Amino acid sequence: MTTKSMRRYVETLDAESSTSRSSIDGLEFRGLLSAILSLRKRSLKVAQKEEAETELKRCAMAVFVIREDEDPLQPAHDIWIGIEVVVKVALRWTGDLSRKEINAEFQRLMAIHLEEKFMAQSDMHSSELIKVIRTKGGATCQKTTDIMDTLDKTADIHVRRECVLKALIFFLGENADDLIKEYTDSDYAQRDLEQLTMAVLAIRGEGEGLREPPEDIGIVIEGVEVLHELTSVASACALLLGLIYVLNLAYPKPLRFTFEVLQKIIMQLDQHKMSIKVQNLYGRLQSLH
C-alpha cells in the first residue's frame, strides 16, 4: 500500500459512520508498515512535516475507531492488534528508526536494556552452549562443522557471537538460513526483499565467509527493510527480538525454538513456561555453570 492509497483508505473510513470487520481484512500489514515508515521519513522534512503527521494521526484514529466498534467479547483480530501497535509506535517515534529508539522502547515496555542484556547473557552462556552443541552428532554435526571451525580460529567477538547463534539454530533443529539471509550483492538482496517475512540481512564480499564481518547488516519485517548498517549479526538479532516485542508480532514458525531460547534463556523473559526442547537445553546449561 502506497502513502497515497493509504490516504484514500483513511479518507474512506472518515466518511463512514461505522466499519465492519470484514471490510478491513484485505488490508496488508506489510503495506501499512511500509506506508507508515514512508510517512515518518516525510515528517522529518520541514515542508512535509505537518501533512505527514496529520496523515499518521488520521490513520491512528481510523484504526482505534474500528477496534472500539468490535465486540469486546470476541478475540481481537491479529492483524489489527499489529496495526494498532505499529501506528502507536510510529506516532511516538519522531526520528528515523534507529537502534537507540528500539532499545529505548523495549526498556520502556520491559524495564530491560535490550542489546546490553542480550550481549551479556549470550557471552555468559557462550562456553556452555558450545560444549552442548559439540556433543550432538548426526546432521547437526555436519551442519555446524564449518561454523565451529571458524569459531575456533577467530578472536573477533562479533564473528564468535554470530557463529554461536548459527550453531544454536541448527542444534535446535531449525535452519540458520531462515533467520540470517546472506547475499554478496546488495541489489539482489533488494530484489529478494518482498519475499522475506522476518529476517536479518547480511551483505558479504564475494568469496568472504564467516571469518570476515559483513559489509552491511539490516533487518527486514514483512518485506520492509526497517534497519540497516548495523554493527553485527548478534546486534541485529537482538534488535529483531526487540521489534517483535515492540510491534507485538508473532515469532516466525520455522524459528519458534530459536526465538524461544532468545526470549527465555538469553533475555530471561517469561521463563516460567518453556517447551520441552528449550527446557532440556536450559537444564543442560545450568548443569555446566
Side-chain angles (χ1 to χ4, degrees):
M1 178 183 291
T2 64
T3 302
K4 186 178 291 184
S5 62
M6 187 176 82
R7 182 191 304 136
R8 287 199 300 268
Y9 181 78
V10 174
E11 287 172 351
T12 300
L13 294 179
D14 286 344
E16 296 176 355
S17 57
S18 63
T19 305
S20 66
R21 175 176 296 190
S22 61
S23 69
I24 52 86
D25 281 348
L27 190 151
E28 293 182 342
F29 182 87
R30 175 187 299 177
L32 185 64
L33 177 58
S34 179
I36 285 172
L37 291 175
S38 174
L39 285 173
R40 288 185 63 254
K41 288 179 180 178
R42 285 176 53 199
S43 71
L44 298 178
K45 300 176 182 178
V46 176
Q48 299 176 337
K49 183 178 180 65
E50 185 175 347
E51 180 188 0
E53 289 183 351
T54 298
E55 288 182 30
L56 270 174
K57 289 174 182 176
R58 292 178 68 194
C59 182
M61 288 176 64
V63 171
F64 302 150
V65 166
I66 290 170
R67 288 295 305 280
E68 286 176 1
D69 285 345
E70 291 183 347
D71 184 349
L73 298 180
Q74 296 297 320
H77 200 282
D78 287 346
I79 192 170
W80 279 108
I81 293 174
I83 288 171
E84 182 175 6
V85 176
V86 168
V87 174
K88 285 181 178 177
V89 171
L91 287 168
R92 182 159 51 248
W93 283 336
T94 56
D96 280 335
L97 193 59
S98 67
R99 290 174 58 191
K100 183 179 179 180
E101 286 184 317
I102 296 169
N103 278 295
E105 184 68 8
F106 188 85
Q107 188 159 20
R108 188 188 71 80
L109 291 173
M110 309 304 300
I112 296 172
H113 192 284
L114 175 62
E115 284 188 273
E116 185 178 299
K117 178 71 174 281
F118 188 96
M119 300 308 168
Q121 288 292 114
S122 295
D123 292 344
M124 186 186 79
H125 288 298
S126 180
S127 296
E128 288 72 26
L129 276 170
I130 292 168
K131 290 177 184 177
V132 171
I133 292 167
R134 288 189 192 277
T135 64
K136 198 162 184 177
T140 298
C141 181
Q142 293 177 355
K143 291 174 182 176
T144 59
T145 296
D146 290 343
I147 297 172
M148 302 309 274
D149 182 57
T150 299
L151 180 69
D152 291 337
K153 295 178 180 178
T154 185
D156 187 302
I157 187 62
H158 297 314
V159 175
R160 291 183 64 83
R161 286 170 176 162
E162 181 179 352
C163 287
V164 173
L165 279 168
K166 285 186 171 182
L168 170 64
I169 297 171
F170 285 122
F171 173 83
L172 293 168
E174 297 173 341
N175 190 345
D177 294 335
D178 287 339
L179 177 61
I180 304 165
K181 300 289 186 180
E182 300 194 28
Y183 299 90
T184 56
D185 186 333
S186 59
D187 290 336
Y188 181 77
Q190 289 297 320
R191 289 194 297 271
D192 205 26
L193 211 61
E194 290 187 1
Q195 308 303 318
L196 303 179
T197 302
M198 193 176 291
V200 170
L201 290 183
I203 310 298
R204 299 186 187 274
E206 191 72 42
E208 291 182 355
L210 263 176
R211 297 181 189 181
E212 297 294 330
E215 295 176 359
D216 188 21
I217 303 167
I219 294 175
V220 175
I221 296 178
E222 295 294 345
V224 179
E225 187 175 16
V226 296
L227 281 174
H228 63 98
E229 296 182 354
L230 299 174
T231 57
S232 68
V233 168
S235 174
C237 290
L239 291 165
L240 178 55
L241 180 67
L243 281 166
I244 289 171
Y245 263 82
V246 168
L247 301 179
N248 198 27
L249 303 176
Y251 292 146
K253 289 183 179 180
L255 295 162
R256 62 187 184 279
F257 293 121
T258 297
F259 278 101
E260 185 183 351
V261 169
L262 298 183
Q263 173 192 342
K264 298 179 179 180
I265 296 181
I266 302 301
M267 296 301 295
Q268 298 177 304
L269 296 170
D270 302 319
Q271 288 185 304
H272 60 282
K273 187 177 181 180
M274 296 183 185
S275 64
I276 294 175
K277 179 177 285 192
V278 174
Q279 180 66 58
N280 288 339
L281 173 61
Y282 184 64
R284 293 179 70 179
L285 294 176
Q286 292 297 102
S287 69
L288 291 172
H289 275 296

